[in-house]
Amino acid sequence: HTAYRRQRQMCIRDRAIGDFLDRELDDFLWIKNENEKDLIAAIAELPAQHTFHTKPYKHQAASFYIGACLNSFLYFLDMGAGKTFISLNLIKYYKNMDKVTKTLVVVPNVLNIAGWKEEISIHAPNLKHVGIYEGNIESRFNSLKEEGDVYVINYDGLQTLMTSFVEVPGKTASGKKKKKRKIDEKLVKSFVQRFQMVIFDEIHFIKNSDTMRYKLCKKIAKNCSYRYGLTGTPFGRDPHDLWAEFNVIDNGETLGTTLGIFRGAFFNTKSNGFGIVHEFKKEMKRKLNKTIQHRSLRYEDKEFEDLPSKVETDVPLMMAPDALMYYEQLKKESYEKDDEEVRTNFYAKWRQICSGFVYENIEDDELGKTKFAMEFSKTEKLDAVEILIEDMPTDSKMVIFHVFNKSGEMIVERLKKLKIPFAAVNSTVKDKVADYNRFKNNPKCKILVVNIGSGNAGLNLQNANYVINYEPTDRPIWYKQAMKRVYRTGQKKRCYFYHFHVKRSVEDKVLNFIKEGKSLFDALIEGKIALREL
């Protein structure tokens, strides 16, 4: 009887999987073949009139049109495609239709919260941005009371607003009762009922359906009528990741309401002696690709037909609180001093603080006067590097140019911590030639960290097409030469340049001067600009 029941259950399961694979599904690849004129005409015929504040590229217009027709969709667009632009226009569209009053945007990092604010100011200035990322649960709920259109929070911040601590058996090392986070349904209700639309930026951050992050995002999405997901990297090596992403957006319409159905259709389940493993059926790759097209659209970099061959983006960042205090103190000290040596010293220190450290001199009984680098609590530049690497297409490589030796050390330390293969042409390595050759010849080595003083000339880096200027150099010749290492004859891909700068700091002026082909340092030393103006 038991054997019969097990066999019957298997038959029912196999029939369910067969029905699942035989479904008629949508496919949006056709829209890639539409010309720009027809796309704009189709947008004009939508139920509500929509005006783009900045002109869309063809792939952006196509992506917007689909989102305006469907209330749930995933955009798998390579880095640099303007996923935020598409999202902001969808928010504007549904707001104008009176379908949406408040939109929640969930991002990977606190850094991205400021990034969305910047994008809103460029592409949708009529929308009001509210960032939710500081303080305890009370102060964050107070942020929600602010009048706004787009409320941006990071994934980890969701735990603060939707969970509470409960006691569990056992005690901590200090003898206190152990506690753990648990989803608080009362807090969930208070939070989610405010929003009609949710956008999950870098949705691959919720790829694991066993995590609290997924469960919280699922509760938010369930309450919202309009749901969209954005990422350039929907999954790494494991297609398992797709199920959680699609389930949050379309409630199982594409990849099944249960993970079991998805696994049964696309994976072989077996024991490896240590437990159960699920191996993807390679022969099902084409079927999976066709299935996910039901509620997603993929654009690779090579498909951005009308994008320019070089795309430059300014990335404004903030200082950590302790760095800002130090910076402000140096400003006060500088007001009373104005000789050349002092000007140079303050100028250098301000630039260092923008990168998360400052060189100071100390007196030592044995060594005498010694210079050391004091690091601050947090460096948004390092977080931004991590985000851009995470979002970079798998077939691309990146060069990170820096000015200070200490910055090179900090970047290398972060890459080691993340276990990302890299090479360096700076003070952190002994054999720079060997590292350079490894970056050129090893497909797994995706990142090259270069001191702009030593790597602005003589290096041929056409195998990379992503560039980060970690801190703006104040030497126009170095800047131009460094950019030409990547964007030069022989480059076969579109190039993306990201210029980091700390807002409302000396770096703003350095970057503005360099774009004009001028040196802020020279202007300062020659007295053409006063120290106080910086």
Side-chain angles (χ1 to χ4, degrees), residues 187-357:
L187 290 176
V188 169
K189 184 178 179 181
S190 176
F191 180 64
V192 303
Q193 66 184 1
R194 303 165 189 266
F195 307 103
Q196 300 82 43
M197 177 187 283
V198 61
I199 294 170
F200 297 104
D201 194 6
E202 305 300 347
I203 195 171
H204 60 274
F205 271 69
I206 56 173
K207 60 189 178 183
N208 189 339
S209 59
D210 292 328
T211 62
M212 181 175 286
R213 179 180 291 175
Y214 162 80
K215 293 170 185 175
L216 293 175
C217 291
K218 179 69 176 174
K219 287 181 179 292
I220 295 168
K222 189 177 179 181
N223 187 76
C224 291
S225 301
Y226 300 89
R227 307 172 298 277
Y228 302 95
L230 320 172
T231 183
T233 51
F235 67 93
R237 296 179 179 178
D238 190 356
H240 254 117
D241 302 348
L242 290 168
W243 185 84
E245 297 168 23
F246 274 86
N247 191 263
V248 163
I249 298 300
D250 69 7
N251 295 315
E253 186 178 325
T254 301
L255 295 183
T257 54
T258 68
L259 184 56
I261 286 287
F262 179 59
R263 281 176 174 166
F266 294 102
F267 294 81
N268 288 316
T269 301
K270 57 186 179 181
S271 173
N272 65 355
F274 298 97
I276 301 297
V277 293
H278 307 281
E279 292 182 352
F280 182 68
K281 301 174 184 176
K282 293 181 180 179
E283 67 274 15
M284 296 296 287
K285 183 177 179 180
R286 178 176 290 186
K287 180 65 177 178
L288 179 60
N289 285 338
K290 185 171 177 57
T291 301
I292 64 175
Q293 287 163 16
H294 175 67
R295 281 295 176 269
S296 72
L297 185 65
R298 170 76 169 140
Y299 272 104
E300 296 182 77
D301 177 89
K302 60 188 177 184
E303 296 179 280
F304 305 152
E305 298 172 359
D306 48 351
L307 269 183
S309 58
K310 182 172 72 168
V311 180
E312 298 197 51
T313 305
D314 289 348
V315 182
L317 303 165
M318 299 295 289
M319 292 184 204
D322 54 340
L324 182 59
M325 287 178 61
Y326 207 93
Y327 191 94
E328 293 294 332
Q329 181 59 39
L330 283 178
K331 275 171 59 177
K332 291 178 182 177
E333 292 177 14
S334 72
Y335 291 161
E336 302 171 1
K337 304 169 183 178
D338 202 29
D339 61 83
E340 184 175 316
E341 184 179 348
V342 170
R343 287 201 300 269
T344 304
N345 187 43
F346 277 111
Y347 173 71
K349 285 189 175 183
W350 285 331
R351 294 185 65 205
Q352 293 160 14
I353 294 169
C354 290
S355 291
F357 72 95

Side-chain angles (χ1 to χ4, degrees), residues 53-66:
H53 186 74
T54 51
K55 187 178 184 296
Y57 292 105
K58 180 185 170 185
H59 70 275
Q60 293 173 331
S63 299
F64 167 78
Y65 180 75
I66 293 175

